[in-house]
Amino acid sequence: MKRAHKHIAVTIRTIRQRDGVPFEVERKVCRECRTLLDERPLKRVPA
């Protein structure tokens, strides 16, 4: 059985494609279990 823990968010910036258009995305993931906690697009990346 896994031990419960409190998620500690780490912010990661990456580039993702949405409908063929590249976007810079800010993702917040848990430092311990790597669960995605939040994701939001920041801006369009020049092609």
Side-chain angles (χ1 to χ4, degrees):
M1 188 157 118
K2 286 190 174 185
R3 184 180 62 120
H5 71 278
K6 185 174 181 178
H7 292 300
I8 300 170
V10 175
T11 302
I12 300 170
R13 289 188 177 200
T14 186
I15 295 176
R16 297 279 180 151
Q17 279 197 345
R18 183 179 296 170
D19 297 326
V21 179
F23 277 88
E24 184 177 359
V25 177
E26 182 179 87
R27 303 179 85 197
K28 292 187 181 184
V29 296
C30 176
R31 181 172 64 186
E32 187 174 325
C33 68
R34 292 301 204 197
T35 301
L36 181 63
L37 305 173
D38 187 34
E39 181 176 78
R40 67 184 183 114
L42 295 178
K43 62 184 176 182
R44 184 176 175 183
V45 178

